[in-house]
Amino acid sequence: MPTNPTPIEPTSTELNGFVVRAKAATYAGGGGRVAPVRTSSHDLEYREGELVYRDSYFGGTDFLGQETVHLGDRPLWGMNYYGCLLTDGITASAAGETVKAALTALYAEGRFLGGFRYTVGDFGYIDESTGTVDRFRGVEHILTATGERAYELRYHGGRILD
């Protein structure tokens, strides 16, 4: 009886490219919605062959989430995040629109990590991170026209090793 070959694990460069494409197609691109896996969760999914990306989050104005990449049945990569509004200087809708526009521009550069600044109307978006797709941490925030920090999201993650 033939056996299925074990999927080949992507290199760091290949994994980074997949994560960027998945993020661009789901939250930033408005696609990939799937039925909630957990009560009250918002779930997004993207697939390329044996690789499956999932983003599952809770909340709206203040929110918590987790992204994972599986290779077949094996978890390969993950990221956790928590974001919130810090002032009345921005609405949840404006923060979401600002983040989506900035992330779309960042992903167009073929990356999701590294220093990045972007302006959307009266708001400035800043992302600061350290590390690579294999192990990283960072923070993104939105500044108002007066320089007030109005939104913040902290994230961390990397490869999942057995």
Side-chain angles (χ1 to χ4, degrees):
M1 177 182 258
T3 60
N4 290 336
T6 303
I8 298 172
E9 187 168 312
T11 66
S12 295
T13 300
E14 292 166 340
L15 178 60
N16 185 82
F18 174 76
V19 170
V20 169
R21 289 188 302 278
K23 287 173 167 285
T26 54
Y27 176 73
R33 294 212 181 276
V34 295
V37 175
R38 297 174 283 182
T39 304
S40 300
S41 67
H42 305 275
D43 293 86
L44 309 170
E45 186 174 282
Y46 177 83
R47 294 174 176 265
E48 284 182 12
E50 293 283 329
L51 290 172
V52 179
Y53 165 90
R54 292 185 183 97
D55 181 1
S56 184
Y57 64 95
F58 299 89
T61 302
D62 292 13
F63 56 95
L64 171 85
Q66 178 182 52
E67 299 172 22
T68 59
V69 172
H70 282 74
L71 178 64
D73 292 335
R74 187 167 81 75
L76 181 67
W77 178 90
M79 180 179 102
N80 299 103
Y81 57 87
Y82 177 79
C84 59
L85 300 184
L86 302 173
T87 70
D88 293 334
I90 193 169
T91 64
S93 176
E97 290 173 16
T98 301
V99 169
K100 284 182 179 183
L103 292 178
T104 297
L106 176 62
Y107 302 155
E109 294 182 2
R111 62 191 183 100
F112 73 99
L113 294 170
F116 188 73
R117 294 176 179 268
Y118 195 77
T119 301
V120 179
D122 291 335
F123 299 109
Y125 171 92
I126 300 171
D127 182 272
E128 301 164 323
S129 66
T130 60
T132 68
V133 69
D134 296 317
R135 187 175 295 147
F136 60 90
R137 67 173 182 235
V139 60
E140 69 178 14
H141 48 268
I142 296 173
L143 302 176
T144 65
T146 62
E148 178 182 28
R149 189 175 289 198
Y151 159 89
E152 178 177 279
L153 178 137
R154 294 193 174 271
Y155 60 91
H156 64 273
R159 287 228 187 224
I160 299 169
L161 304 174
D162 292 333

